[in-house]
Short mmCIF file of all heavy atoms in Angstrom, two decimals:
data_model
loop_
_atom_site.label_atom_id
_atom_site.label_comp_id
_atom_site.label_asym_id
_atom_site.label_seq_id
_atom_site.Cartn_x
_atom_site.Cartn_y
_atom_site.Cartn_z
N MET A 1 50.91 111.68 78.77
CA MET A 1 51.42 111.89 80.13
C MET A 1 51.19 110.66 80.99
O MET A 1 50.99 110.76 82.15
CB MET A 1 50.70 113.09 80.77
CG MET A 1 50.96 114.37 80.00
SD MET A 1 52.54 115.08 80.38
CE MET A 1 52.20 115.73 82.00
N THR A 2 51.16 109.50 80.37
CA THR A 2 50.88 108.31 81.19
C THR A 2 52.16 107.77 81.80
O THR A 2 52.14 107.23 82.89
CB THR A 2 50.23 107.22 80.33
OG1 THR A 2 50.99 107.08 79.15
CG2 THR A 2 48.83 107.54 80.02
N GLU A 3 53.28 108.01 81.12
CA GLU A 3 54.54 107.47 81.65
C GLU A 3 55.15 108.51 82.57
O GLU A 3 55.46 109.62 82.19
CB GLU A 3 55.50 107.17 80.51
CG GLU A 3 55.24 105.84 79.87
CD GLU A 3 56.34 105.48 78.90
OE1 GLU A 3 57.49 105.93 79.08
OE2 GLU A 3 56.06 104.73 77.96
N VAL A 4 55.36 108.14 83.81
CA VAL A 4 55.98 109.03 84.78
C VAL A 4 57.32 108.41 85.22
O VAL A 4 57.37 107.42 85.91
CB VAL A 4 55.10 109.26 86.00
CG1 VAL A 4 55.84 110.16 87.01
CG2 VAL A 4 53.78 109.92 85.57
N ILE A 5 58.40 108.94 84.71
CA ILE A 5 59.68 108.44 85.07
C ILE A 5 60.11 109.07 86.40
O ILE A 5 60.14 110.29 86.50
CB ILE A 5 60.74 108.77 83.99
CG1 ILE A 5 60.26 108.19 82.64
CG2 ILE A 5 62.08 108.21 84.38
CD1 ILE A 5 61.11 108.69 81.51
N SER A 6 60.44 108.25 87.34
CA SER A 6 60.76 108.77 88.67
C SER A 6 62.22 109.25 88.70
O SER A 6 63.11 108.43 88.81
CB SER A 6 60.51 107.72 89.74
OG SER A 6 61.24 106.55 89.41
N LEU A 7 62.40 110.53 88.53
CA LEU A 7 63.74 111.10 88.60
C LEU A 7 64.13 111.33 90.04
O LEU A 7 65.29 111.40 90.39
CB LEU A 7 63.80 112.42 87.83
CG LEU A 7 63.55 112.26 86.34
CD1 LEU A 7 63.47 113.64 85.70
CD2 LEU A 7 64.69 111.50 85.69
N LYS A 8 63.13 111.47 90.89
CA LYS A 8 63.39 111.75 92.27
C LYS A 8 63.66 110.46 93.05
O LYS A 8 63.12 109.41 92.65
CB LYS A 8 62.22 112.49 92.91
CG LYS A 8 61.85 113.76 92.17
CD LYS A 8 60.60 114.30 92.76
CE LYS A 8 59.96 115.33 91.83
NZ LYS A 8 58.65 115.73 92.30
N PRO A 9 64.37 110.54 94.13
CA PRO A 9 64.56 109.37 94.99
C PRO A 9 63.22 108.95 95.61
O PRO A 9 62.37 109.79 95.83
CB PRO A 9 65.53 109.84 96.06
CG PRO A 9 65.46 111.33 96.02
CD PRO A 9 65.08 111.71 94.64
N LYS A 10 63.07 107.67 95.88
CA LYS A 10 61.82 107.19 96.45
C LYS A 10 61.61 107.83 97.83
O LYS A 10 62.56 107.93 98.63
CB LYS A 10 61.85 105.68 96.58
CG LYS A 10 61.72 104.99 95.22
CD LYS A 10 61.71 103.50 95.40
CE LYS A 10 61.60 102.84 94.00
NZ LYS A 10 61.69 101.37 94.14
N ARG A 11 60.39 108.15 98.10
CA ARG A 11 60.06 108.76 99.38
C ARG A 11 59.51 107.75 100.34
O ARG A 11 58.63 106.99 100.01
CB ARG A 11 59.03 109.86 99.19
CG ARG A 11 59.62 111.05 98.49
CD ARG A 11 58.53 112.07 98.23
NE ARG A 11 59.11 113.35 97.79
CZ ARG A 11 59.51 114.25 98.66
NH1 ARG A 11 59.40 114.05 99.93
NH2 ARG A 11 60.05 115.38 98.25
N GLN A 12 60.07 107.76 101.51
CA GLN A 12 59.54 106.86 102.54
C GLN A 12 58.35 107.51 103.19
O GLN A 12 57.37 106.86 103.50
CB GLN A 12 60.62 106.56 103.61
CG GLN A 12 61.76 105.77 103.02
CD GLN A 12 61.38 104.36 102.58
OE1 GLN A 12 60.46 103.81 103.09
NE2 GLN A 12 62.10 103.81 101.63
N ASN A 13 58.44 108.81 103.38
CA ASN A 13 57.32 109.51 104.03
C ASN A 13 56.18 109.72 103.00
O ASN A 13 56.42 110.02 101.86
CB ASN A 13 57.80 110.89 104.50
CG ASN A 13 58.89 110.76 105.52
OD1 ASN A 13 59.03 109.72 106.15
ND2 ASN A 13 59.68 111.80 105.67
N GLU A 14 55.00 109.53 103.50
CA GLU A 14 53.87 109.73 102.63
C GLU A 14 53.36 111.17 102.78
O GLU A 14 52.21 111.38 103.17
CB GLU A 14 52.79 108.72 102.91
CG GLU A 14 53.23 107.31 102.57
CD GLU A 14 52.12 106.34 102.63
OE1 GLU A 14 50.99 106.73 103.01
OE2 GLU A 14 52.31 105.20 102.25
N ASP A 15 54.26 112.08 102.57
CA ASP A 15 53.87 113.49 102.70
C ASP A 15 53.92 114.14 101.32
O ASP A 15 54.77 113.85 100.50
CB ASP A 15 54.84 114.22 103.63
CG ASP A 15 54.64 113.84 105.08
OD1 ASP A 15 53.57 113.27 105.38
OD2 ASP A 15 55.54 114.06 105.89
N CYS A 16 53.00 115.07 101.13
CA CYS A 16 53.01 115.85 99.92
C CYS A 16 54.28 116.69 99.84
O CYS A 16 54.56 117.44 100.76
CB CYS A 16 51.74 116.73 99.88
SG CYS A 16 51.78 117.90 98.51
N PRO A 17 55.05 116.57 98.78
CA PRO A 17 56.31 117.34 98.68
C PRO A 17 56.06 118.82 98.51
O PRO A 17 56.97 119.63 98.65
CB PRO A 17 56.98 116.73 97.42
CG PRO A 17 55.88 116.10 96.64
CD PRO A 17 54.85 115.69 97.64
N ILE A 18 54.84 119.20 98.18
CA ILE A 18 54.55 120.62 97.98
C ILE A 18 54.18 121.29 99.29
O ILE A 18 54.73 122.28 99.68
CB ILE A 18 53.41 120.78 96.93
CG1 ILE A 18 53.81 120.13 95.63
CG2 ILE A 18 53.10 122.26 96.77
CD1 ILE A 18 55.04 120.74 94.98
N CYS A 19 53.19 120.71 99.99
CA CYS A 19 52.70 121.41 101.19
C CYS A 19 52.91 120.59 102.45
O CYS A 19 52.76 121.10 103.57
CB CYS A 19 51.22 121.71 101.02
SG CYS A 19 50.19 120.26 101.06
N GLY A 20 53.33 119.32 102.31
CA GLY A 20 53.70 118.52 103.49
C GLY A 20 52.52 117.79 104.13
O GLY A 20 52.71 117.09 105.14
N LYS A 21 51.34 117.89 103.52
CA LYS A 21 50.22 117.13 104.08
C LYS A 21 50.33 115.66 103.68
O LYS A 21 51.13 115.31 102.81
CB LYS A 21 48.91 117.68 103.54
CG LYS A 21 48.57 119.06 104.07
CD LYS A 21 47.26 119.54 103.47
CE LYS A 21 46.92 120.96 103.89
NZ LYS A 21 45.72 121.45 103.22
N SER A 22 49.53 114.84 104.29
CA SER A 22 49.51 113.43 103.94
C SER A 22 49.05 113.28 102.49
O SER A 22 48.20 114.00 102.03
CB SER A 22 48.57 112.63 104.85
OG SER A 22 48.99 112.78 106.18
N GLU A 23 49.74 112.36 101.80
CA GLU A 23 49.40 112.24 100.38
C GLU A 23 48.06 111.57 100.15
O GLU A 23 47.58 110.81 101.00
CB GLU A 23 50.49 111.41 99.68
CG GLU A 23 50.36 109.93 99.98
CD GLU A 23 51.33 109.14 99.13
OE1 GLU A 23 52.38 109.63 98.77
OE2 GLU A 23 51.01 107.98 98.83
N ASN A 24 47.47 111.89 99.04
CA ASN A 24 46.23 111.28 98.62
C ASN A 24 46.60 110.24 97.54
O ASN A 24 47.28 110.56 96.57
CB ASN A 24 45.30 112.35 98.07
CG ASN A 24 43.94 111.76 97.68
OD1 ASN A 24 43.85 110.65 97.17
ND2 ASN A 24 42.91 112.54 97.87
N HIS A 25 46.12 109.02 97.69
CA HIS A 25 46.53 107.98 96.77
C HIS A 25 46.08 108.26 95.36
O HIS A 25 46.62 107.72 94.39
CB HIS A 25 45.98 106.61 97.24
CG HIS A 25 46.68 106.10 98.44
ND1 HIS A 25 48.01 105.78 98.45
CD2 HIS A 25 46.24 105.90 99.69
CE1 HIS A 25 48.35 105.34 99.67
NE2 HIS A 25 47.30 105.42 100.43
N ASN A 26 45.10 109.11 95.22
CA ASN A 26 44.64 109.48 93.87
C ASN A 26 45.64 110.39 93.19
O ASN A 26 45.66 110.50 91.96
CB ASN A 26 43.27 110.16 93.92
CG ASN A 26 42.19 109.19 94.32
OD1 ASN A 26 42.24 108.01 93.97
ND2 ASN A 26 41.20 109.69 95.05
N PHE A 27 46.45 111.06 93.98
CA PHE A 27 47.37 112.03 93.42
C PHE A 27 48.78 111.81 93.91
O PHE A 27 49.60 112.75 93.96
CB PHE A 27 46.95 113.46 93.84
CG PHE A 27 45.53 113.77 93.42
CD1 PHE A 27 44.52 113.76 94.38
CD2 PHE A 27 45.25 114.06 92.12
CE1 PHE A 27 43.22 114.04 94.00
CE2 PHE A 27 43.94 114.33 91.72
CZ PHE A 27 42.93 114.31 92.68
N THR A 28 49.14 110.57 94.22
CA THR A 28 50.45 110.23 94.73
C THR A 28 51.55 110.88 93.90
O THR A 28 51.48 110.83 92.68
CB THR A 28 50.66 108.70 94.73
OG1 THR A 28 49.61 108.11 95.48
CG2 THR A 28 52.00 108.28 95.27
N PRO A 29 52.59 111.48 94.46
CA PRO A 29 52.80 111.53 95.93
C PRO A 29 52.22 112.81 96.53
O PRO A 29 52.69 113.22 97.61
CB PRO A 29 54.30 111.54 96.00
CG PRO A 29 54.74 112.34 94.81
CD PRO A 29 53.70 112.07 93.73
N PHE A 30 51.28 113.42 95.88
CA PHE A 30 50.75 114.70 96.34
C PHE A 30 49.47 114.48 97.14
O PHE A 30 48.88 113.42 97.12
CB PHE A 30 50.51 115.64 95.18
CG PHE A 30 51.71 115.78 94.31
CD1 PHE A 30 51.79 115.11 93.10
CD2 PHE A 30 52.78 116.55 94.70
CE1 PHE A 30 52.96 115.19 92.32
CE2 PHE A 30 53.93 116.67 93.91
CZ PHE A 30 53.98 115.99 92.71
N CYS A 31 49.05 115.59 97.79
CA CYS A 31 47.85 115.47 98.64
C CYS A 31 46.62 115.81 97.84
O CYS A 31 45.50 115.46 98.23
CB CYS A 31 48.00 116.41 99.82
SG CYS A 31 47.88 118.15 99.35
N SER A 32 46.80 116.48 96.71
CA SER A 32 45.62 116.91 95.94
C SER A 32 46.06 117.26 94.53
O SER A 32 47.27 117.33 94.22
CB SER A 32 45.04 118.18 96.58
OG SER A 32 45.98 119.22 96.54
N LYS A 33 45.05 117.42 93.69
CA LYS A 33 45.38 117.78 92.30
C LYS A 33 46.07 119.14 92.25
O LYS A 33 46.90 119.38 91.36
CB LYS A 33 44.08 117.83 91.48
CG LYS A 33 44.35 117.99 89.99
CD LYS A 33 43.07 118.01 89.20
CE LYS A 33 43.38 118.02 87.71
NZ LYS A 33 44.20 119.13 87.29
N TYR A 34 45.71 120.01 93.17
CA TYR A 34 46.32 121.33 93.21
C TYR A 34 47.84 121.21 93.32
O TYR A 34 48.59 121.81 92.56
CB TYR A 34 45.76 122.16 94.36
CG TYR A 34 46.50 123.46 94.52
CD1 TYR A 34 46.21 124.55 93.68
CD2 TYR A 34 47.46 123.62 95.52
CE1 TYR A 34 46.91 125.73 93.81
CE2 TYR A 34 48.12 124.81 95.65
CZ TYR A 34 47.84 125.86 94.81
OH TYR A 34 48.51 127.03 94.95
N CYS A 35 48.30 120.44 94.33
CA CYS A 35 49.73 120.32 94.53
C CYS A 35 50.40 119.59 93.37
O CYS A 35 51.52 119.87 93.01
CB CYS A 35 49.99 119.57 95.84
SG CYS A 35 49.68 120.65 97.28
N ALA A 36 49.68 118.61 92.76
CA ALA A 36 50.23 117.96 91.58
C ALA A 36 50.45 118.98 90.46
O ALA A 36 51.44 118.93 89.75
CB ALA A 36 49.31 116.85 91.14
N ASP A 37 49.49 119.87 90.33
CA ASP A 37 49.57 120.90 89.30
C ASP A 37 50.74 121.85 89.58
O ASP A 37 51.47 122.30 88.70
CB ASP A 37 48.27 121.70 89.19
CG ASP A 37 47.22 120.94 88.41
OD1 ASP A 37 47.59 119.93 87.76
OD2 ASP A 37 46.06 121.32 88.46
N VAL A 38 50.89 122.18 90.86
CA VAL A 38 51.98 123.08 91.26
C VAL A 38 53.33 122.46 90.88
O VAL A 38 54.20 123.10 90.30
CB VAL A 38 51.96 123.35 92.76
CG1 VAL A 38 53.23 124.08 93.23
CG2 VAL A 38 50.74 124.19 93.12
N ASP A 39 53.44 121.15 91.17
CA ASP A 39 54.70 120.47 90.87
C ASP A 39 54.89 120.42 89.35
O ASP A 39 56.00 120.64 88.85
CB ASP A 39 54.67 119.04 91.43
CG ASP A 39 56.03 118.38 91.33
OD1 ASP A 39 56.92 118.78 92.09
OD2 ASP A 39 56.17 117.49 90.48
N LEU A 40 53.81 120.12 88.63
CA LEU A 40 53.94 120.03 87.18
C LEU A 40 54.34 121.36 86.58
O LEU A 40 55.21 121.45 85.73
CB LEU A 40 52.59 119.61 86.59
CG LEU A 40 52.55 119.50 85.08
CD1 LEU A 40 53.53 118.43 84.59
CD2 LEU A 40 51.14 119.18 84.59
N SER A 41 53.76 122.42 87.07
CA SER A 41 54.10 123.77 86.55
C SER A 41 55.54 124.11 86.84
O SER A 41 56.19 124.81 86.07
CB SER A 41 53.15 124.80 87.13
OG SER A 41 53.38 124.96 88.52
N LYS A 42 56.05 123.62 87.94
CA LYS A 42 57.48 123.86 88.25
C LYS A 42 58.34 123.21 87.17
O LYS A 42 59.29 123.78 86.72
CB LYS A 42 57.83 123.25 89.61
CG LYS A 42 57.43 124.17 90.74
CD LYS A 42 57.99 123.59 92.06
CE LYS A 42 57.60 124.47 93.24
NZ LYS A 42 58.14 123.96 94.48
N TRP A 43 57.96 122.00 86.79
CA TRP A 43 58.73 121.34 85.76
C TRP A 43 58.62 122.10 84.43
O TRP A 43 59.62 122.33 83.75
CB TRP A 43 58.16 119.94 85.54
CG TRP A 43 58.68 118.97 86.52
CD1 TRP A 43 58.00 118.46 87.61
CD2 TRP A 43 59.96 118.33 86.55
NE1 TRP A 43 58.80 117.57 88.28
CE2 TRP A 43 60.00 117.47 87.66
CE3 TRP A 43 61.09 118.39 85.72
CZ2 TRP A 43 61.12 116.71 87.98
CZ3 TRP A 43 62.19 117.64 86.07
CH2 TRP A 43 62.20 116.80 87.16
N LEU A 44 57.43 122.52 84.10
CA LEU A 44 57.23 123.21 82.81
C LEU A 44 57.97 124.52 82.77
O LEU A 44 58.46 124.95 81.74
CB LEU A 44 55.74 123.44 82.59
CG LEU A 44 54.93 122.17 82.42
CD1 LEU A 44 53.44 122.48 82.23
CD2 LEU A 44 55.43 121.35 81.21
N LYS A 45 58.09 125.18 83.91
CA LYS A 45 58.75 126.48 83.94
C LYS A 45 60.27 126.31 84.02
O LYS A 45 61.02 127.28 83.92
CB LYS A 45 58.27 127.28 85.15
CG LYS A 45 56.86 127.84 84.97
CD LYS A 45 56.41 128.56 86.22
CE LYS A 45 54.96 129.01 86.10
NZ LYS A 45 54.49 129.58 87.39
N GLY A 46 60.71 125.08 84.28
CA GLY A 46 62.13 124.88 84.36
C GLY A 46 62.72 125.20 85.69
O GLY A 46 63.89 125.46 85.81
N ASP A 47 61.85 125.18 86.72
CA ASP A 47 62.35 125.46 88.06
C ASP A 47 63.31 124.34 88.53
O ASP A 47 64.27 124.60 89.27
CB ASP A 47 61.19 125.54 89.05
CG ASP A 47 60.72 126.98 89.18
OD1 ASP A 47 61.09 127.79 88.33
OD2 ASP A 47 59.97 127.28 90.12
N TYR A 48 63.03 123.14 88.04
CA TYR A 48 63.86 122.04 88.42
C TYR A 48 65.00 121.91 87.43
O TYR A 48 64.78 121.84 86.22
CB TYR A 48 63.08 120.72 88.44
CG TYR A 48 62.05 120.67 89.54
CD1 TYR A 48 60.91 119.90 89.39
CD2 TYR A 48 62.23 121.36 90.73
CE1 TYR A 48 59.95 119.81 90.40
CE2 TYR A 48 61.29 121.28 91.75
CZ TYR A 48 60.16 120.52 91.55
OH TYR A 48 59.19 120.42 92.53
N LYS A 49 66.20 121.88 87.93
CA LYS A 49 67.33 121.76 87.02
C LYS A 49 67.80 120.31 86.96
O LYS A 49 67.80 119.61 87.95
CB LYS A 49 68.49 122.63 87.49
CG LYS A 49 68.16 124.13 87.37
CD LYS A 49 69.28 124.94 87.92
CE LYS A 49 68.86 126.41 87.84
NZ LYS A 49 69.88 127.27 88.47
N ILE A 50 68.14 119.89 85.77
CA ILE A 50 68.62 118.53 85.60
C ILE A 50 70.11 118.57 85.22
O ILE A 50 70.46 118.82 84.08
CB ILE A 50 67.82 117.84 84.48
CG1 ILE A 50 66.32 117.90 84.78
CG2 ILE A 50 68.24 116.36 84.33
CD1 ILE A 50 65.45 117.42 83.63
N PRO A 51 70.95 118.34 86.20
CA PRO A 51 72.41 118.44 86.00
C PRO A 51 72.94 117.46 84.96
O PRO A 51 73.92 117.70 84.31
CB PRO A 51 72.99 118.17 87.37
CG PRO A 51 71.91 117.49 88.15
CD PRO A 51 70.61 117.95 87.56
N ILE A 52 72.26 116.34 84.82
CA ILE A 52 72.70 115.32 83.86
C ILE A 52 72.80 115.91 82.46
O ILE A 52 73.67 115.61 81.69
CB ILE A 52 71.77 114.10 83.88
CG1 ILE A 52 71.86 113.42 85.24
CG2 ILE A 52 72.17 113.13 82.77
CD1 ILE A 52 70.83 112.35 85.44
N ASN A 53 71.90 116.79 82.15
CA ASN A 53 71.83 117.40 80.83
C ASN A 53 73.16 118.10 80.51
O ASN A 53 73.73 117.95 79.44
CB ASN A 53 70.70 118.41 80.79
CG ASN A 53 69.97 118.34 79.46
OD1 ASN A 53 70.36 117.56 78.57
ND2 ASN A 53 68.92 119.11 79.32
N GLU A 54 73.64 118.88 81.46
CA GLU A 54 74.86 119.64 81.23
C GLU A 54 76.04 118.71 81.01
O GLU A 54 76.86 118.90 80.15
CB GLU A 54 75.15 120.53 82.44
CG GLU A 54 74.27 121.77 82.43
CD GLU A 54 74.58 122.68 83.62
OE1 GLU A 54 75.74 122.64 84.07
OE2 GLU A 54 73.69 123.37 84.08
N GLU A 55 76.09 117.67 81.84
CA GLU A 55 77.22 116.75 81.73
C GLU A 55 77.29 116.13 80.32
O GLU A 55 78.30 115.99 79.74
CB GLU A 55 77.10 115.64 82.79
CG GLU A 55 77.95 115.95 84.01
CD GLU A 55 77.92 114.85 85.01
OE1 GLU A 55 78.08 113.68 84.61
OE2 GLU A 55 77.69 115.10 86.22
N GLU A 56 76.13 115.72 79.87
CA GLU A 56 76.07 115.07 78.56
C GLU A 56 76.57 116.03 77.47
O GLU A 56 77.28 115.64 76.59
CB GLU A 56 74.65 114.63 78.25
CG GLU A 56 74.35 113.28 78.82
CD GLU A 56 72.99 112.78 78.42
OE1 GLU A 56 72.36 113.40 77.55
OE2 GLU A 56 72.51 111.79 79.01
N GLU A 57 76.22 117.30 77.58
CA GLU A 57 76.66 118.24 76.60
C GLU A 57 78.18 118.39 76.62
O GLU A 57 78.83 118.46 75.62
CB GLU A 57 76.01 119.60 76.85
CG GLU A 57 74.88 119.86 75.85
CD GLU A 57 74.29 121.23 76.04
OE1 GLU A 57 75.05 122.19 75.98
OE2 GLU A 57 73.09 121.33 76.26
N LEU A 58 78.73 118.48 77.83
CA LEU A 58 80.18 118.65 77.98
C LEU A 58 80.91 117.46 77.40
O LEU A 58 81.93 117.60 76.75
CB LEU A 58 80.52 118.83 79.47
CG LEU A 58 80.12 120.22 80.04
CD1 LEU A 58 80.44 120.22 81.54
CD2 LEU A 58 80.86 121.33 79.34
N ASN A 59 80.37 116.27 77.66
CA ASN A 59 81.06 115.08 77.18
C ASN A 59 80.96 114.99 75.64
O ASN A 59 81.83 114.46 74.98
CB ASN A 59 80.42 113.82 77.81
CG ASN A 59 80.85 113.72 79.25
OD1 ASN A 59 81.84 114.29 79.64
ND2 ASN A 59 80.05 112.98 80.03
N GLY A 60 79.86 115.51 75.09
CA GLY A 60 79.64 115.38 73.66
C GLY A 60 80.52 116.35 72.87
O GLY A 60 80.86 116.07 71.71
N GLU A 61 80.90 117.45 73.50
CA GLU A 61 81.70 118.43 72.72
C GLU A 61 83.17 118.33 73.10
O GLU A 61 83.51 118.29 74.29
CB GLU A 61 81.17 119.85 73.04
CG GLU A 61 79.85 120.11 72.34
CD GLU A 61 79.40 121.52 72.61
OE1 GLU A 61 80.23 122.42 72.74
OE2 GLU A 61 78.17 121.74 72.72
N PRO A 62 84.02 118.34 72.14
CA PRO A 62 85.50 118.35 72.40
C PRO A 62 85.88 119.69 73.04
O PRO A 62 85.33 120.73 72.69
CB PRO A 62 86.12 118.18 71.03
CG PRO A 62 85.09 118.64 70.07
CD PRO A 62 83.76 118.34 70.71
N PRO A 63 86.86 119.68 73.96
CA PRO A 63 87.31 120.93 74.61
C PRO A 63 87.92 121.92 73.67
O PRO A 63 87.80 123.12 73.85
CB PRO A 63 88.33 120.41 75.66
CG PRO A 63 88.69 119.06 75.24
CD PRO A 63 87.56 118.49 74.43
N ASP A 64 88.58 121.44 72.64
CA ASP A 64 89.23 122.36 71.69
C ASP A 64 88.32 122.56 70.48
O ASP A 64 88.33 121.81 69.53
CB ASP A 64 90.58 121.82 71.22
CG ASP A 64 91.57 121.86 72.37
OD1 ASP A 64 91.33 122.60 73.32
OD2 ASP A 64 92.56 121.15 72.27
N ALA A 65 87.49 123.60 70.55
CA ALA A 65 86.59 123.85 69.43
C ALA A 65 86.94 125.21 68.78
O ALA A 65 86.25 125.71 67.94
CB ALA A 65 85.15 123.88 69.90
N GLY A 66 88.05 125.76 69.18
CA GLY A 66 88.41 127.11 68.68
C GLY A 66 89.37 127.11 67.54
O GLY A 66 90.53 127.39 67.69
N TYR A 67 88.90 126.72 66.36
CA TYR A 67 89.75 126.80 65.19
C TYR A 67 89.73 128.15 64.53
O TYR A 67 88.66 128.69 64.34
CB TYR A 67 89.33 125.73 64.16
CG TYR A 67 90.00 124.39 64.44
CD1 TYR A 67 89.35 123.43 65.14
CD2 TYR A 67 91.32 124.16 63.93
CE1 TYR A 67 89.97 122.20 65.36
CE2 TYR A 67 91.93 122.94 64.18
CZ TYR A 67 91.23 121.98 64.90
OH TYR A 67 91.86 120.77 65.11
ZN1 ZN B 101 49.91 119.21 99.02
#
């Protein structure tokens, strides 16, 4: 878990995206380990949808697959 690819746009505000408090540099961009865990669990549960995935699948499969 050392590589963190930033899928989200860069934030100008230094606010925790979970609760809106000022971020803690130890847990950037979150304010605490708790909020970092909350965000992580969202990812693991699939709360965040990645539209790019669907597009790739559509492009990979031909439209006429009904033989
Ligand atoms: Zn927070």
Side-chain angles (χ1 to χ4, degrees):
M1 299 281 286
T2 49
E3 278 190 26
V4 177
I5 303 170
S6 55
L7 295 172
K8 304 173 197 172
K10 289 182 181 175
R11 288 175 168 276
Q12 295 293 334
N13 299 339
E14 295 191 354
D15 287 343
C16 172
I18 302 299
C19 69
K21 290 180 185 175
S22 299
E23 75 172 30
N24 183 324
H25 288 295
N26 290 327
F27 304 103
T28 304
F30 307 101
C31 70
S32 64
K33 188 179 187 302
Y34 173 78
C35 285
D37 281 348
V38 170
D39 189 72
L40 178 63
S41 66
K42 279 188 180 181
W43 279 103
L44 294 178
K45 287 177 185 173
D47 268 14
Y48 292 152
K49 292 177 184 176
I50 304 172
I52 294 171
N53 220 358
E54 283 182 27
E55 262 184 48
E56 274 185 10
E57 256 185 56
L58 287 176
N59 287 338
E61 286 183 32
D64 291 341
Y67 272 97

